[in-house]
């Protein structure tokens, strides 16, 4: 990072400073390098949380409050959190986020899109900070509190509180390790939107000049034909009309002045910009999406273990809440790259339209003998180069993906369909007495009866 980039990177908004301060507590933030003592303390703390939760969950199982699949589910989430923290440390995610933010703001500023530049610090960052420091911890605290006090640790309030507190701290570590994924995807989306807007402006000019050229030539030919019909014997007029019927083609210089699509520099810069976008998306897929996909798989397996626990034990409101919370985290992390890939697909569609429009425009000059040799050569060179570059853009498929699978809505659809099918099996097969007691059951009582059951259990 050069001195200018480093100075600009330090000028971060208060929302990102707050996030950085919390992340630095867990040694994954940017800024001065933490001491070895701080790093050692964090490692000892994480190891202590892992061991304490392992013993607590095992004790809950020995008491008969939870089943072994639910214990395995908790262990999977713990392992995922530790690996996420290690991944953030090794790949310096927070530092890379600051660099990506600075680069994106510089690109937007050079393009004159101050509205998009302001959006980063005024909308995107506050939204992410609110999600990672308020919304997600609140949801996790509520659901895990229900599980701790009314289900897993219902007969040991002290252990229930300890489990709840440790899980909330663990969730904070996970949020600080994963927020970079959300911010990086949204910064990529802004870069692609900028490219799309620039391409759409040039495409509008190209379509306009193509339409006006077609209309002008059609009107000239129509005038020439009318002249031939009115006076077939007047050879001079006929000759003049035929001369008027020959279209006047634009020179290479006039084409460049009319639309940017015939400017070699513009087409080259657009192609280079798109290649750079594809490279950054590939880098993000290799260094971030792979771990996010692994994290999502861990959460899916954890949700499956909880479902298996309900199948062999009993269906409870708390276990259902945990499954829904895990699905929320999975889908929310998948939706983010899907939005980025959706913008990229818009660019692909527009580049295909531009490629087709260029071919249509080039057909206007096919077989012409009145174009000057220099102008014709220049035009063909620019047009062929533009078509070649646009074709490269169209055939490029470098969206955000995990492995060889690109993020799309089909992934969410499959997850929800599998979850629904498994839910139907569980509800038809497992013991649903606790749920029926909460919502009324045969003996009535509703929520009060469910609360009475919990009291009786303690």
């Amino acid at each position: 990072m050069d001195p200018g980039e480093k100075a600009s990177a330090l000028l971060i908004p208060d929302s990102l400073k707050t996030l950085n301060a919390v992340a630095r507590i867990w040694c994954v933030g940017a800024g001065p390098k933490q001491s070895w003592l701080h790093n050692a303390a964090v490692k000892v703390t994480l190891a202590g949380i892992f061991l304490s939760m392992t013993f607590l969950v095992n004790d809950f199982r020995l008491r008969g409050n939870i089943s072994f699949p639910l214990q395995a589910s908790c262990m999977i989430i713990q392992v995922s959190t530790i690996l996420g923290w290690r991944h953030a440390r090794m790949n310096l995610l927070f530092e890379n986020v600051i660099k990506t933010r600075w680069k994106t703001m510089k690109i937007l500023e050079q393009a004159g899109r101050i509205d998009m530049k302001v959006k980063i610090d005024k909308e995107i960052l506050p939204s992410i900070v609110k999600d990672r420091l308020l919304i997600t911890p609140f949801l996790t605290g509520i659901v895990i509190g229900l599980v701790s006090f009314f289900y897993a640790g219902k007969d040991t309030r002290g252990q229930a509180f300890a489990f709840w507190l440790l899980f909330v701290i663990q969730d904070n570590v996970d949020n600080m390790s994963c927020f970079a994924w959300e911010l990086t995807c949204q910064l990529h989306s802004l870069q692609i939107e900028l490219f799309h807007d620039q391409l759409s402006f040039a495409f509008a000019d190209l379509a306009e000049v193509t339409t006006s050229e077609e209309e002008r030539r059609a009107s000239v030919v129509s005038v020439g034909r009318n002249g031939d019909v009115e006076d077939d014997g007047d050879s001079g007029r006929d000759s003049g009309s035929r001369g008027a019927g020959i279209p006047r083609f634009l020179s290479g210089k006039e084409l460049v002045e009319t639309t940017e699509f015939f400017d070699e520099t513009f087409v080259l810069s657009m192609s280079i910009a798109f290649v750079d976008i594809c490279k950054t998306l590939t880098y993000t897929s290799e260094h971030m999406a792979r771990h996010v996909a692994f994290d999502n798989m861990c959460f899916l397996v954890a949700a499956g273990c909880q479902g298996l626990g309900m199948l062999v034990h009993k269906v409870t409101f708390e276990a259902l809440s945990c499954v829904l919370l895990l699905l929320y985290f999975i889908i929310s992390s998948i939706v983010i790259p899907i939005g980025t890939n959706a913008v990229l697909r818009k660019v692909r569609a527009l580049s295909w339209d531009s490629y087709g429009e260029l071919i249509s425009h080039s057909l206007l000059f096919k077989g012409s003998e009145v174009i000057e040799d220099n102008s014709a050569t220049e035009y063909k060179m620019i047009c062929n180069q533009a078509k070649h570059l646009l074709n490269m853009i169209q055939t490029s498929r470098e969206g955000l993906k995990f492995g060889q699978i690109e993020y799309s809505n089909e992934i969410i659809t499959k997850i929800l369909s599998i979850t629904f099918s498994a839910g139907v099996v569980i509800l038809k097969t497992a013991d649903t007495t606790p749920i029926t007691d909460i919502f009324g059951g045969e003996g009535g009582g509703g929520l009060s009866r469910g609360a009475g059951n919990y009291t009786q259990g303690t």
Side-chain angles (χ1 to χ4, degrees), residues 367-435:
S368 174
E369 299 178 356
V370 297
I371 308 180
E372 299 177 1
D373 292 337
N374 293 336
S375 298
T377 303
E378 182 180 2
Y379 168 72
K380 290 178 181 179
M381 178 187 68
I382 295 175
C383 193
N384 289 334
Q385 183 178 14
K387 287 187 289 186
H388 171 72
L389 296 177
L390 284 172
N391 187 48
M392 182 188 68
I393 293 173
Q394 168 61 23
T395 55
S396 175
R397 299 191 177 278
E398 295 295 337
L400 290 172
K401 51 190 177 182
F402 57 97
Q404 298 299 321
I405 303 175
E406 192 173 75
Y407 281 99
S408 64
N409 290 321
E410 295 179 359
I411 300 175
I412 297 179
T413 303
K414 291 181 180 179
I415 291 176
L416 292 179
S417 62
I418 294 174
T419 303
F420 177 78
S421 301
V424 171
V425 173
I426 291 172
L427 292 177
K428 285 187 175 181
T429 308
D431 178 16
T432 58
T433 303
I435 298 297

Coordinates of all heavy atoms in Angstrom, one line a residue, residues 367-435:
G367 N -20.4 -4.0 -48.2 CA -20.4 -3.9 -49.6 C -20.4 -2.5 -50.1 O -20.6 -2.2 -51.3
S368 N -20.1 -1.5 -49.3 CA -20.0 -0.1 -49.8 C -18.8 0.2 -50.6 O -17.7 -0.3 -50.2 CB -20.1 0.8 -48.6 OG -19.9 2.2 -49.0
E369 N -18.9 0.9 -51.6 CA -17.7 1.2 -52.5 C -17.4 2.7 -52.4 O -16.4 3.1 -53.1 CB -18.0 0.8 -53.9 CG -18.2 -0.7 -54.1 CD -18.6 -1.0 -55.5 OE1 -18.7 -0.1 -56.4 OE2 -18.7 -2.2 -55.9
V370 N -18.1 3.5 -51.7 CA -17.9 4.9 -51.7 C -17.1 5.4 -50.4 O -16.8 6.5 -50.3 CB -19.2 5.7 -51.7 CG1 -20.0 5.4 -53.0 CG2 -20.1 5.3 -50.5
I371 N -16.8 4.5 -49.5 CA -16.1 4.8 -48.3 C -14.6 5.0 -48.7 O -14.1 4.2 -49.5 CB -16.2 3.8 -47.2 CG1 -17.7 3.5 -47.0 CG2 -15.5 4.2 -46.0 CD1 -17.9 2.5 -45.9
E372 N -14.0 6.0 -48.2 CA -12.6 6.2 -48.4 C -11.8 5.0 -47.8 O -12.2 4.5 -46.8 CB -12.1 7.5 -47.8 CG -12.8 8.7 -48.5 CD -12.3 10.0 -47.8 OE1 -11.5 9.9 -46.9 OE2 -12.8 11.1 -48.2
D373 N -10.7 4.6 -48.4 CA -10.0 3.5 -48.0 C -9.5 3.6 -46.5 O -9.6 2.7 -45.7 CB -8.8 3.2 -48.9 CG -9.2 2.8 -50.3 OD1 -10.3 2.3 -50.4 OD2 -8.4 2.9 -51.2
N374 N -9.0 4.8 -46.2 CA -8.5 5.0 -44.8 C -9.6 4.9 -43.8 O -9.5 4.3 -42.8 CB -7.8 6.3 -44.7 CG -6.5 6.4 -45.5 OD1 -5.9 5.3 -45.8 ND2 -6.0 7.6 -45.9
S375 N -10.7 5.6 -44.1 CA -11.8 5.5 -43.2 C -12.4 4.1 -43.0 O -12.8 3.7 -41.9 CB -12.9 6.5 -43.7 OG -12.4 7.8 -43.7
A376 N -12.5 3.4 -44.2 CA -13.0 2.1 -44.1 C -12.1 1.2 -43.3 O -12.6 0.4 -42.4 CB -13.2 1.5 -45.5
T377 N -10.8 1.3 -43.5 CA -9.9 0.5 -42.7 C -10.0 0.8 -41.2 O -10.0 -0.1 -40.4 CB -8.5 0.7 -43.2 OG1 -8.4 0.4 -44.6 CG2 -7.5 -0.2 -42.4
E378 N -10.0 2.1 -40.9 CA -10.1 2.5 -39.5 C -11.4 2.0 -38.9 O -11.4 1.5 -37.7 CB -10.0 4.0 -39.4 CG -10.0 4.5 -38.0 CD -9.9 6.1 -37.9 OE1 -9.9 6.7 -39.0 OE2 -9.9 6.6 -36.8
Y379 N -12.5 2.1 -39.6 CA -13.8 1.7 -39.0 C -13.8 0.2 -38.8 O -14.2 -0.3 -37.7 CB -14.9 2.1 -40.0 CG -16.2 1.5 -39.6 CD1 -16.9 1.9 -38.5 CD2 -16.7 0.4 -40.4 CE1 -18.1 1.3 -38.2 CE2 -17.9 -0.2 -40.1 CZ -18.6 0.2 -38.9 OH -19.8 -0.4 -38.6
K380 N -13.3 -0.5 -39.8 CA -13.3 -2.0 -39.6 C -12.5 -2.4 -38.4 O -12.8 -3.3 -37.7 CB -12.9 -2.7 -40.9 CG -13.9 -2.5 -42.0 CD -13.4 -3.2 -43.3 CE -14.4 -3.0 -44.4 NZ -13.9 -3.6 -45.7
M381 N -11.3 -1.8 -38.3 CA -10.4 -2.1 -37.2 C -11.1 -1.9 -35.8 O -11.1 -2.7 -34.9 CB -9.1 -1.3 -37.3 CG -8.1 -1.6 -36.2 SD -6.7 -0.5 -36.2 CE -7.5 1.0 -35.8
I382 N -11.7 -0.7 -35.7 CA -12.3 -0.4 -34.4 C -13.5 -1.3 -34.1 O -13.7 -1.8 -33.0 CB -12.7 1.1 -34.4 CG1 -11.5 2.0 -34.5 CG2 -13.5 1.5 -33.2 CD1 -11.8 3.5 -34.6
C383 N -14.3 -1.5 -35.2 CA -15.5 -2.3 -35.0 C -15.2 -3.7 -34.7 O -15.8 -4.3 -33.8 CB -16.4 -2.2 -36.3 SG -18.0 -2.8 -36.1
N384 N -14.2 -4.3 -35.4 CA -13.8 -5.7 -35.1 C -13.2 -5.8 -33.7 O -13.5 -6.8 -33.0 CB -12.8 -6.1 -36.2 CG -13.4 -6.3 -37.5 OD1 -14.6 -6.6 -37.6 ND2 -12.6 -6.2 -38.6
Q385 N -12.4 -4.8 -33.3 CA -11.8 -4.9 -32.0 C -12.9 -4.8 -30.9 O -12.9 -5.5 -29.9 CB -10.8 -3.8 -31.8 CG -10.1 -3.8 -30.4 CD -9.1 -2.7 -30.3 OE1 -9.1 -1.8 -31.1 NE2 -8.2 -2.8 -29.3
A386 N -13.9 -3.9 -31.1 CA -15.0 -3.7 -30.2 C -15.8 -5.0 -30.1 O -16.1 -5.4 -29.0 CB -15.9 -2.5 -30.6
K387 N -16.1 -5.6 -31.2 CA -16.9 -6.8 -31.2 C -16.1 -7.9 -30.5 O -16.7 -8.7 -29.7 CB -17.2 -7.2 -32.6 CG -18.3 -6.4 -33.2 CD -18.7 -6.9 -34.6 CE -17.7 -6.7 -35.6 NZ -18.1 -7.1 -37.0
H388 N -14.8 -8.0 -30.7 CA -14.0 -9.0 -30.1 C -14.0 -8.8 -28.5 O -14.2 -9.8 -27.8 CB -12.6 -9.0 -30.6 CG -11.6 -9.8 -29.8 ND1 -11.6 -11.2 -29.9 CD2 -10.6 -9.5 -29.0 CE1 -10.7 -11.7 -29.1 NE2 -10.0 -10.7 -28.5
L389 N -13.8 -7.6 -28.1 CA -13.8 -7.4 -26.6 C -15.1 -7.6 -26.0 O -15.2 -8.1 -24.9 CB -13.3 -5.9 -26.4 CG -11.8 -5.7 -26.9 CD1 -11.4 -4.2 -26.7 CD2 -10.8 -6.6 -26.2
L390 N -16.2 -7.1 -26.7 CA -17.5 -7.4 -26.1 C -17.8 -8.8 -26.1 O -18.5 -9.3 -25.1 CB -18.5 -6.6 -26.9 CG -18.6 -5.1 -26.7 CD1 -19.5 -4.4 -27.7 CD2 -19.1 -4.8 -25.3
N391 N -17.4 -9.6 -27.0 CA -17.6 -11.0 -27.0 C -16.9 -11.7 -25.9 O -17.4 -12.6 -25.2 CB -17.1 -11.6 -28.4 CG -17.5 -13.1 -28.5 OD1 -18.6 -13.5 -28.2 ND2 -16.5 -13.9 -28.9
M392 N -15.7 -11.2 -25.5 CA -14.9 -11.7 -24.4 C -15.7 -11.4 -23.1 O -15.8 -12.2 -22.2 CB -13.5 -11.1 -24.3 CG -12.7 -11.6 -23.2 SD -11.2 -10.7 -23.0 CE -11.8 -9.1 -22.5
I393 N -16.3 -10.2 -23.0 CA -17.0 -9.8 -21.8 C -18.2 -10.7 -21.7 O -18.6 -11.2 -20.6 CB -17.5 -8.4 -21.9 CG1 -16.3 -7.4 -21.8 CG2 -18.5 -8.0 -20.8 CD1 -16.6 -6.0 -22.0
Q394 N -18.9 -11.0 -22.8 CA -20.1 -11.8 -22.8 C -19.8 -13.2 -22.4 O -20.6 -13.8 -21.6 CB -20.8 -11.8 -24.2 CG -21.9 -12.8 -24.3 CD -23.1 -12.6 -23.4 OE1 -23.2 -11.5 -22.9 NE2 -23.8 -13.6 -23.1
T395 N -18.8 -13.8 -22.9 CA -18.5 -15.2 -22.6 C -17.8 -15.4 -21.2 O -17.6 -16.5 -20.8 CB -17.6 -15.8 -23.7 OG1 -16.4 -15.0 -23.8 CG2 -18.3 -15.8 -25.0
S396 N -17.4 -14.3 -20.6 CA -16.7 -14.4 -19.3 C -17.7 -14.8 -18.2 O -18.8 -14.1 -18.1 CB -16.0 -13.1 -18.9 OG -15.4 -13.2 -17.7
R397 N -17.4 -15.8 -17.4 CA -18.3 -16.2 -16.3 C -17.5 -16.3 -15.1 O -17.1 -17.4 -14.7 CB -19.1 -17.4 -16.7 CG -19.9 -17.3 -17.9 CD -20.9 -18.5 -18.2 NE -21.7 -18.2 -19.3 CZ -22.8 -17.5 -19.3 NH1 -23.2 -17.0 -18.1 NH2 -23.6 -17.4 -20.3
E398 N -17.3 -15.2 -14.4 CA -16.4 -15.2 -13.3 C -17.1 -14.6 -12.1 O -16.6 -13.7 -11.4 CB -15.1 -14.5 -13.6 CG -14.2 -15.1 -14.6 CD -13.7 -16.5 -14.1 OE1 -13.6 -16.7 -12.9 OE2 -13.3 -17.3 -15.0
G399 N -18.3 -15.0 -11.8 CA -19.1 -14.5 -10.7 C -18.6 -15.1 -9.4 O -17.7 -16.0 -9.4
L400 N -19.1 -14.6 -8.3 CA -18.8 -15.2 -7.0 C -19.3 -16.6 -6.9 O -20.5 -16.9 -7.2 CB -19.3 -14.3 -5.8 CG -18.7 -13.0 -5.6 CD1 -19.5 -12.2 -4.6 CD2 -17.3 -13.1 -5.2
K401 N -18.5 -17.5 -6.5 CA -18.9 -18.9 -6.4 C -18.1 -19.7 -5.4 O -17.0 -19.2 -4.9 CB -18.7 -19.6 -7.8 CG -17.3 -19.4 -8.4 CD -17.3 -19.9 -9.8 CE -15.9 -19.7 -10.4 NZ -15.9 -20.1 -11.8
F402 N -18.6 -20.8 -4.9 CA -17.8 -21.7 -4.1 C -17.6 -23.0 -4.8 O -18.5 -23.6 -5.3 CB -18.6 -22.0 -2.7 CG -19.9 -22.5 -2.9 CD1 -20.1 -23.9 -2.7 CD2 -21.0 -21.7 -3.1 CE1 -21.4 -24.4 -2.9 CE2 -22.3 -22.2 -3.2 CZ -22.5 -23.6 -3.1
G403 N -16.3 -23.3 -5.0 CA -16.0 -24.5 -5.9 C -16.3 -24.1 -7.3 O -15.8 -23.1 -7.8
Q404 N -17.1 -24.9 -8.0 CA -17.4 -24.6 -9.3 C -18.9 -24.2 -9.4 O -19.4 -24.0 -10.5 CB -17.2 -25.8 -10.2 CG -15.8 -26.3 -10.3 CD -14.9 -25.2 -10.8 OE1 -15.2 -24.5 -11.8 NE2 -13.7 -25.1 -10.3
I405 N -19.5 -23.9 -8.3 CA -21.0 -23.6 -8.3 C -21.1 -22.1 -8.0 O -20.6 -21.6 -7.1 CB -21.7 -24.4 -7.2 CG1 -21.5 -25.9 -7.4 CG2 -23.2 -24.0 -7.2 CD1 -22.2 -26.7 -6.3
E406 N -21.8 -21.4 -8.9 CA -22.0 -20.0 -8.8 C -23.2 -19.7 -7.9 O -24.2 -20.4 -7.9 CB -22.2 -19.3 -10.2 CG -22.2 -17.8 -10.1 CD -22.2 -17.2 -11.5 OE1 -23.3 -17.2 -12.1 OE2 -21.2 -16.8 -12.1
Y407 N -23.1 -18.7 -7.0 CA -24.2 -18.4 -6.1 C -25.4 -17.9 -6.9 O -25.3 -17.1 -7.8 CB -23.8 -17.2 -5.2 CG -22.9 -17.7 -4.0 CD1 -21.5 -17.5 -4.1 CD2 -23.5 -18.3 -2.9 CE1 -20.7 -17.9 -3.0 CE2 -22.7 -18.7 -1.8 CZ -21.3 -18.5 -1.9 OH -20.6 -18.9 -0.8
S408 N -26.5 -18.6 -6.6 CA -27.8 -18.2 -7.3 C -29.0 -18.6 -6.4 O -28.8 -19.2 -5.4 CB -27.9 -19.0 -8.6 OG -28.0 -20.4 -8.4
N409 N -30.2 -18.1 -6.8 CA -31.4 -18.4 -6.0 C -31.7 -19.9 -6.0 O -32.4 -20.3 -5.1 CB -32.5 -17.6 -6.6 CG -32.4 -16.1 -6.4 OD1 -32.0 -15.7 -5.3 ND2 -32.8 -15.4 -7.4
E410 N -31.2 -20.7 -6.9 CA -31.4 -22.1 -6.9 C -30.9 -22.8 -5.6 O -31.5 -23.7 -5.1 CB -30.8 -22.8 -8.1 CG -31.4 -22.3 -9.4 CD -30.8 -23.0 -10.6 OE1 -29.8 -23.8 -10.4 OE2 -31.2 -22.7 -11.8
I411 N -29.8 -22.2 -5.1 CA -29.2 -22.8 -3.9 C -30.2 -22.6 -2.7 O -30.4 -23.6 -1.9 CB -27.9 -22.2 -3.6 CG1 -26.9 -22.4 -4.7 CG2 -27.3 -22.7 -2.3 CD1 -25.6 -21.7 -4.5
I412 N -30.7 -21.4 -2.6 CA -31.7 -21.2 -1.5 C -33.0 -22.0 -1.7 O -33.5 -22.6 -0.7 CB -32.1 -19.7 -1.5 CG1 -30.8 -18.8 -1.1 CG2 -33.2 -19.4 -0.5 CD1 -31.1 -17.4 -1.1
T413 N -33.4 -22.2 -2.9 CA -34.6 -23.0 -3.2 C -34.4 -24.4 -2.8 O -35.2 -25.1 -2.1 CB -35.0 -22.9 -4.7 OG1 -35.2 -21.6 -5.1 CG2 -36.2 -23.7 -5.0
K414 N -33.2 -25.0 -3.1 CA -32.9 -26.4 -2.7 C -32.8 -26.5 -1.2 O -33.3 -27.5 -0.6 CB -31.6 -26.8 -3.4 CG -31.7 -27.0 -4.9 CD -30.4 -27.4 -5.5 CE -30.6 -27.6 -7.0 NZ -29.3 -28.0 -7.7
I415 N -32.2 -25.6 -0.5 CA -32.1 -25.6 0.9 C -33.4 -25.6 1.6 O -33.8 -26.4 2.5 CB -31.2 -24.5 1.5 CG1 -29.7 -24.7 1.0 CG2 -31.3 -24.4 3.0 CD1 -28.8 -23.5 1.4
L416 N -34.3 -24.7 1.1 CA -35.6 -24.6 1.7 C -36.5 -25.8 1.4 O -37.3 -26.3 2.2 CB -36.3 -23.3 1.2 CG -35.8 -22.0 1.6 CD1 -36.5 -20.8 1.0 CD2 -35.8 -21.9 3.2
S417 N -36.3 -26.4 0.2 CA -37.1 -27.6 -0.2 C -36.7 -28.8 0.7 O -37.6 -29.6 1.2 CB -37.0 -27.9 -1.6 OG -35.6 -28.2 -2.0
I418 N -35.4 -29.0 0.9 CA -34.9 -30.1 1.7 C -35.4 -29.9 3.2 O -35.8 -30.8 3.8 CB -33.4 -30.1 1.6 CG1 -32.9 -30.6 0.2 CG2 -32.8 -31.1 2.7 CD1 -31.4 -30.5 0.0
T419 N -35.3 -28.6 3.7 CA -35.7 -28.3 5.0 C -37.2 -28.6 5.2 O -37.6 -29.2 6.2 CB -35.4 -26.9 5.4 OG1 -34.0 -26.6 5.2 CG2 -35.8 -26.6 6.8
F420 N -38.0 -28.2 4.2 CA -39.4 -28.5 4.3 C -39.7 -30.0 4.3 O -40.6 -30.4 5.2 CB -40.1 -27.8 3.1 CG -41.6 -28.0 3.1 CD1 -42.5 -27.3 3.9 CD2 -42.2 -29.0 2.2 CE1 -43.8 -27.5 3.9 CE2 -43.5 -29.2 2.2 CZ -44.4 -28.5 3.0
S421 N -39.1 -30.7 3.5 CA -39.3 -32.2 3.4 C -38.9 -32.8 4.7 O -39.7 -33.7 5.3 CB -38.5 -32.8 2.2 OG -38.9 -32.2 1.0
A422 N -37.7 -32.4 5.3 CA -37.3 -33.0 6.5 C -38.2 -32.6 7.7 O -38.5 -33.4 8.6 CB -35.9 -32.5 6.8
G423 N -38.7 -31.3 7.6 CA -39.6 -30.9 8.7 C -40.9 -31.7 8.7 O -41.5 -32.0 9.7
V424 N -41.5 -32.0 7.5 CA -42.7 -32.8 7.4 C -42.5 -34.2 8.0 O -43.3 -34.7 8.8 CB -43.2 -32.9 5.9 CG1 -44.3 -33.9 5.8 CG2 -43.6 -31.5 5.4
V425 N -41.3 -34.8 7.7 CA -41.0 -36.1 8.2 C -40.9 -36.1 9.8 O -41.5 -36.9 10.5 CB -39.7 -36.7 7.6 CG1 -39.3 -38.0 8.3 CG2 -39.9 -36.9 6.1
I426 N -40.2 -35.0 10.3 CA -40.0 -34.9 11.7 C -41.4 -34.7 12.4 O -41.7 -35.4 13.5 CB -39.0 -33.8 12.0 CG1 -37.6 -34.2 11.6 CG2 -39.0 -33.5 13.5 CD1 -36.6 -33.0 11.7
L427 N -42.2 -33.8 11.9 CA -43.4 -33.5 12.6 C -44.4 -34.7 12.5 O -45.3 -34.9 13.4 CB -44.1 -32.3 11.9 CG -43.4 -31.0 12.2 CD1 -44.1 -29.8 11.4 CD2 -43.3 -30.6 13.6
K428 N -44.3 -35.6 11.5 CA -45.2 -36.7 11.4 C -44.7 -37.9 12.2 O -45.5 -38.8 12.6 CB -45.3 -37.2 9.9 CG -46.2 -36.3 9.1 CD -46.4 -36.8 7.7 CE -47.4 -36.0 7.0 NZ -47.7 -36.6 5.6
T429 N -43.4 -37.9 12.5 CA -42.8 -39.1 13.1 C -42.4 -38.9 14.6 O -42.6 -39.8 15.4 CB -41.5 -39.5 12.4 OG1 -41.8 -39.7 11.0 CG2 -40.9 -40.9 12.9
A430 N -41.9 -37.7 14.9 CA -41.4 -37.5 16.3 C -42.5 -37.2 17.3 O -43.7 -37.0 16.9 CB -40.4 -36.4 16.2
D431 N -42.1 -37.1 18.5 CA -43.0 -36.8 19.6 C -43.2 -35.3 19.6 O -42.3 -34.5 19.9 CB -42.5 -37.2 20.9 CG -43.4 -36.9 22.1 OD1 -44.6 -36.5 21.9 OD2 -42.9 -36.9 23.3
T432 N -44.4 -34.8 19.3 CA -44.7 -33.4 19.2 C -45.5 -32.9 20.4 O -46.2 -31.8 20.4 CB -45.5 -33.1 17.9 OG1 -46.7 -33.8 17.9 CG2 -44.7 -33.4 16.7
T433 N -45.5 -33.7 21.5 CA -46.3 -33.3 22.7 C -45.9 -31.9 23.3 O -46.8 -31.1 23.6 CB -46.2 -34.4 23.8 OG1 -46.6 -35.7 23.3 CG2 -47.0 -34.0 25.0
P434 N -44.6 -31.6 23.4 CA -44.3 -30.3 23.9 C -44.9 -29.1 23.1 O -45.3 -28.1 23.6 CB -42.8 -30.3 23.9 CG -42.4 -31.7 24.0 CD -43.4 -32.4 23.2
I435 N -44.9 -29.3 21.8 CA -45.4 -28.3 20.9 C -46.9 -28.2 21.0 O -47.5 -27.0 21.1 CB -45.0 -28.5 19.4 CG1 -43.5 -28.5 19.3 CG2 -45.6 -27.5 18.5 CD1 -42.9 -27.2 19.6

